[in-house]
Amino acid sequence: MTIDWIAFIAEGIRMATPLVFAALAALICNRAGMFNMGVEGMILCSALGAVIFAHYGGSVWIGLLGGIIIGLATGMFIAFASLTGKADLYLTCIAFNLMATGGTVFVMYLLTGEKSTTSGAFRSYQIPVVDIPIIKDIPVLGRIISGQSLITYIAAAAVFFMWFFLKRTRIGLRIRAVGENPKAAESVGISVNKIGYISFAICGVLAGLSGAFMSMSWVTFFMKNMVNGRGYIGLSAQNMAKGEPVGSALASLLFGFTDALATTLQNQTNFPVEFLEMLPYLATIFAIIITSIIAINKRRRIEQGAAK
Amino acid sequence: MAEVMRMQNITKIYPNGFVANKDITFAVGEHEIHALVGENGAGKTTLMKILFGMEAPQEGKIFINGKEEKIANPLDAIAKGVGMVHQHFMLVPSLTVAENVTLGAEPMKNGLFDFDGAVKATQEIADKYNFNVEALQKVRDLSVGQMQKVEILKALYKGARLLILDEPTAVLTPQETEELFEQLFKLRDSGVSIIFISHKLEEVMRICSKVTVLRHGRCMGSLDIEGLNEAAISKLMVGRDVVLKIDKEDPKPGKPVVEIKDLVKINSIGKNVLDGVDFTIHEGEVVGIAGVEGNGQTELSEVLAGLTGFTSGDVKLNGTSIKGKSVREIRDQGMAYIAEDRMVEGVAGDMSIKMNIVADRFTKPDFKKGLFMDAKKINDIADQYIKDFEILCDGREQPVRMLSGGNIQKVVVAREFTSGANFILACQPTRGIDVGTAEMIRKTIVRKSREEGTATLLISADLNEVLECSDRLLVMRKGKVVAAFPKANQVSEETLGEYMLGVKEMTQSEMEGLL
């Protein structure tokens, strides 16, 4: 048994793409003071939306746009329920995720007559893979950095865009203020609801990109429950990084690698599949526990250490 | 002198029928620091909320610079030059001072937030009025006093010409208070009028030129400070002479109740917040702790109450160490605790008065009937204490949050004074409450020590309070006890100040026998 490590790393980055978007989508809502568990369902809906738009539009780009539109629409739906309708955000998100799981299958059945996948009925579209000149010829690095899906590069750019957006724009500043102390923001005339809607809109676009990647790059069709907890993993990734974009991306990368490890081992060894499929989620739990223990220990060390 | 603001015949009746303001007329002139005083529930806050657009009055008019104005909301008020510094700060801790000050009216450059411009604008105003804050500092790193400066800067940045300060000195140390007063004078001289809400009459006497007194929602008059004294204002406020002196006999200390031995606590950033505290409290005496806030008093009370642990040393309560014990276990050992922040640790705001009163004892067999709580007994006790402690409320089922500050504190003391504990830990027991309730609490503390032999530790930022109520007096500075006096009421405020501020420090031998 030999494992192709370069392929493994490239696969890790690929697998991290939807997680990075999921993490950023959760992050922007979190910074505005909303713990948006609905990211999971938003990605699932976008994944189906992308496939449908691509099929009827006849173009991968219409598919990509469709994914984003559905992401935006679902984001607005949750925002409306929780901000305007004043419904509890957690309950709304749980209900929405359940609805997305059943609803996507229902819509798929209506359009294709299939209940598990669109792969037979809809044409497959794939977001182009980009070969970067010069870099692609560098040994090792070329195989890792070049030849990824276009969306993977967009994800990398989105991380830095998010950082800049939060740090340097007025809306970014207001989002941070609202997230930390809505009363303070309200008292100086910032509409907390408006900021909430803006955050959900950005979240929707990012979730849309994540969904489009799932159904037009990871695979080239939609299948039942294909997001499989990636939204939640993104949520934990940004939580571990305390809402910092770059840290969230790194945490997502870590989870991407466990995901890749599972697929690699699955293809190249005879480990039990069920165990391997558990890995990314197990890694999430351990990562959360470890980050929290580190934080507690750090504090305890300071409190005890200087005593002697 | 021209009037910058006049509230004419303001009447505000809340939907529940409570008359908060009745026909109040209140005017503030140019270059004036105008005190607004009254007991808790007298209507000061409501009146200011009306001026700041947070409440609408049923009757009355508001004039700003002689022109009648309708103030629809706080933003409208800000636009008309009225700024308010709330008692609870409206700040975003992780943002810088400059970002907090400019938030909502941010300077822009090329479509982006102009951070440098915000810093510059903030620093300019801060320097103009000698505000000792750095625009680039994060608000979470500031002291409470500095946070208050940021709040004032926020108002000034948005062009406030009339500044409402709601009990600004309640959270400040004596030096910070001094500093604030200097800055208020400077603001006044530069043309900003100030409404100063306070309970501390000596401050009102010092910095204000006029005072308006409210009592039970009515205006008792607006008077020039000149020719007035504290006793006269106090009489207008409460309608009777408040005895600022407490008559008490000498204590007869019995056996030790609380023994604190070389107590050290290191906080999460590695600072020794308690640095070898060592003293004993006996039966029947009130030990007071004075000190500039932030010198370990809060940490000491948290350790004694069992809210946090400590690094080394030991604390014995009635002969048994409290190390590692839960709050419940320490209470069972005989502690009662009046917490510093009543809304956070004193009461559960959304729960009823009766539940708050029995919160420390509902699990005891006395209050149970089989598996369930004994509703009748709990109701009887609640009604009894509402009567005994004169809690002004609609009944025992009313949520505590609906009461005024003084009445909330009465709920707390009703529970703590009747818990049967022989050690009362009283932290800022009268902070921000009306004179009448404060007097009742102070007298009860002294009475319980004399009649029931209770040991009391009184931690307070109000010097008059510690000097009047305590028997022995300790001074804390930088986590240590730096001075001890056998008779608190013979210590002058000046002497106390010298120890509090670190001008003087007693040696161990000087404090021998007093700890």
Side-chain angles (χ1 to χ4, degrees), chain B residues 140-387:
Chain B
R140 64 160 173 251
D141 299 328
L142 301 181
S143 68
V144 175
Q146 287 173 308
M147 288 188 194
Q148 189 174 58
K149 305 279 149 63
V150 178
E151 283 287 5
I152 298 176
L153 284 176
K154 270 168 73 176
L156 295 175
Y157 174 78
K158 298 193 172 91
R161 306 299 297 159
L162 175 64
L163 204 53
I164 306 167
L165 301 176
D166 191 359
E167 291 185 39
T169 59
V171 292
L172 298 185
T173 64
Q175 311 102 301
E176 283 174 331
T177 304
E178 283 307 311
E179 205 184 306
L180 176 71
F181 288 170
E182 288 305 314
Q183 286 149 357
L184 294 185
F185 291 142
K186 202 151 187 176
L187 280 170
R188 176 197 62 193
D189 295 340
S190 73
V192 178
S193 302
I194 295 163
I195 299 174
F196 182 81
I197 303 177
S198 181
H199 279 111
K200 299 180 187 166
L201 298 183
E202 68 273 15
E203 293 178 355
V204 169
M205 297 296 299
R206 252 196 70 194
I207 69 163
C208 301
S209 51
K210 282 191 91 171
V211 57
T212 294
V213 183
L214 301 186
R215 191 205 300 175
H216 301 313
R218 285 171 174 78
C219 183
M220 305 305 292
S222 289
L223 308 159
D224 287 321
I225 288 287
E226 229 178 288
L228 278 182
N229 59 27
E230 283 176 46
I233 303 175
S234 168
K235 201 165 178 172
L236 277 177
M237 275 167 71
V238 293
R240 65 191 151 92
D241 289 311
V242 175
V243 182
L244 286 167
K245 266 196 127 40
I246 293 176
D247 294 317
K248 59 179 197 279
E249 22 181 309
D250 284 340
K252 298 178 193 72
K255 63 176 174 48
V257 175
V258 181
E259 295 160 87
I260 302 169
K261 286 261 175 301
D262 199 23
L263 186 66
V264 174
K265 179 175 171 60
I266 299 168
N267 73 359
S268 57
I269 54 167
K271 192 177 159 205
N272 284 39
V273 284
L274 292 176
D275 199 1
V277 175
D278 205 309
F279 66 92
T280 304
I281 309 165
H282 302 88
E283 266 179 354
E285 67 169 350
V286 179
V287 174
I289 290 192
V292 175
E293 271 187 81
N295 277 286
Q297 302 95 315
T298 304
E299 287 81 3
L300 177 63
S301 68
E302 282 175 354
V303 166
L304 292 179
L307 295 172
T308 60
F310 47 92
T311 311
S312 67
D314 197 16
V315 178
K316 280 197 179 122
L317 174 56
N318 290 317
T320 316
S321 170
I322 64 163
K323 193 170 178 93
K325 296 263 175 70
S326 69
V327 178
R328 164 73 67 77
E329 287 165 331
I330 298 172
R331 277 183 177 269
D332 287 346
Q333 251 170 269
M335 180 208 58
Y337 177 39
I338 300 172
E340 191 173 319
D341 188 335
R342 54 182 163 268
M343 291 319 288
V344 177
E345 279 151 2
V347 295
D350 291 326
M351 291 182 79
S352 62
I353 294 172
K354 78 171 183 193
M355 283 307 165
N356 273 290
I357 284 177
V358 298
D360 65 330
R361 63 197 74 165
F362 68 94
T363 54
K364 303 267 186 310
D366 277 6
F367 291 85
K368 278 188 178 166
K369 219 177 192 175
L371 278 175
F372 304 100
M373 290 192 277
D374 186 342
K376 187 173 179 309
K377 176 137 193 195
I378 289 175
N379 288 344
D380 290 349
I381 286 239
D383 288 341
Q384 182 65 42
Y385 292 163
I386 287 171
K387 205 167 126 252

Side-chain angles (χ1 to χ4, degrees), chain A residues 168 170 174 180-181 302 307, chain B residues 91 93-94 106 113 268 270 311:
Chain A
R168 296 297 307 278
R170 177 161 72 182
R174 290 183 174 188
E180 223 180 301
N181 190 349
I302 299 169
Chain B
L91 296 171
S94 80
E106 305 89 345
F113 170 56
S268 57
T311 311

Side-chain angles (χ1 to χ4, degrees), chain B residues 244-249 251 284-289 426 429-430 438-447 449-450 456-460 462-473 487-489:
Chain B
L244 286 167
K245 266 196 127 40
I246 293 176
D247 294 317
K248 59 179 197 279
E249 22 181 309
E285 67 169 350
V286 179
V287 174
I289 290 192
T430 64
E439 188 191 353
M440 179 278 282
I441 292 175
R442 290 170 190 155
K443 281 190 166 160
T444 312
I445 287 175
V446 173
R447 186 177 52 77
S449 77
R450 297 299 181 270
T456 309
L457 182 63
L458 173 67
I459 300 177
S460 177
D462 184 336
L463 292 188
N464 279 323
E465 179 168 290
V466 273
L467 291 174
E468 276 309 312
C469 294
S470 314
D471 301 316
R472 258 190 311 146
L473 179 66
K487 281 190 159 54
N489 50 12

Side-chain angles (χ1 to χ4, degrees), chain A residues 114-240:
Chain A
E114 294 285 334
K115 284 184 186 165
S116 58
T117 162
T118 64
S119 65
F122 280 176
R123 227 191 103 184
S124 284
Y125 286 93
Q126 184 169 21
I127 289 171
V129 162
V130 181
D131 280 316
I132 308 170
I134 305 169
I135 289 180
K136 76 177 191 321
D137 298 324
I138 303 171
V140 185
L141 205 62
R143 271 180 69 200
I144 295 171
I145 293 185
S146 177
Q148 296 279 7
S149 164
L150 174 67
I151 298 199
T152 304
Y153 300 109
I154 297 178
V159 175
F160 291 98
F161 169 77
M162 183 62 83
W163 174 82
F164 183 82
F165 174 76
L166 285 172
K167 190 112 187 140
R168 296 297 307 278
T169 66
R170 177 161 72 182
I171 301 281
L173 175 68
R174 290 183 174 188
I175 287 175
R176 289 185 286 149
V178 166
E180 223 180 301
N181 190 349
K183 275 191 181 155
E186 192 102 59
S187 75
V188 292
I190 295 173
S191 160
V192 173
N193 265 14
K194 192 172 135 196
I195 292 293
Y197 272 105
I198 292 172
S199 308
F200 260 105
I202 297 170
C203 167
V205 171
L206 293 163
L209 286 164
S210 182
F213 179 88
M214 292 305 292
S215 63
M216 296 201 306
S217 204
W218 182 59
V219 292
T220 54
F221 49 84
F222 177 84
M223 63 181 174
K224 185 180 165 185
N225 199 25
M226 71 189 303
V227 174
N228 212 0
R230 283 182 176 78
Y232 297 128
I233 293 180
L235 205 56
S236 345
Q238 66 86 25
N239 217 31
M240 281 166 58

Side-chain angles (χ1 to χ4, degrees), chain A residues 8-31:
Chain A
F8 166 72
I9 292 172
E11 177 70 3
I13 291 173
R14 199 170 84 91
M15 297 310 287
T17 306
L19 301 178
V20 169
F21 281 124
L24 293 178
L27 183 152
I28 188 76
C29 283
N30 195 5
R31 291 306 287 265

Side-chain angles (χ1 to χ4, degrees), chain B residues 23-94:
Chain B
D23 201 21
I24 293 180
T25 295
F26 172 55
V28 177
E30 221 172 12
H31 295 289
E32 185 172 283
I33 302 181
H34 194 128
L36 186 61
V37 300
E39 285 195 84
N40 280 103
K44 299 173 306 231
T45 308
T46 304
L47 190 67
M48 288 304 105
K49 279 183 171 172
I50 291 169
L51 178 55
F52 199 57
M54 293 160 82
E55 299 274 1
Q58 269 82 12
E59 282 167 41
K61 291 172 182 164
I62 298 172
F63 298 88
I64 288 176
N65 294 321
K67 200 168 127 239
E68 190 181 343
E69 300 272 12
K70 286 260 174 290
I71 299 176
N73 54 48
L75 284 181
D76 198 18
I78 292 168
K80 290 177 173 128
V82 180
M84 182 156 178
V85 176
H86 299 267
Q87 240 179 317
H88 303 285
F89 299 147
M90 301 270 195
L91 296 171
V92 187
S94 80

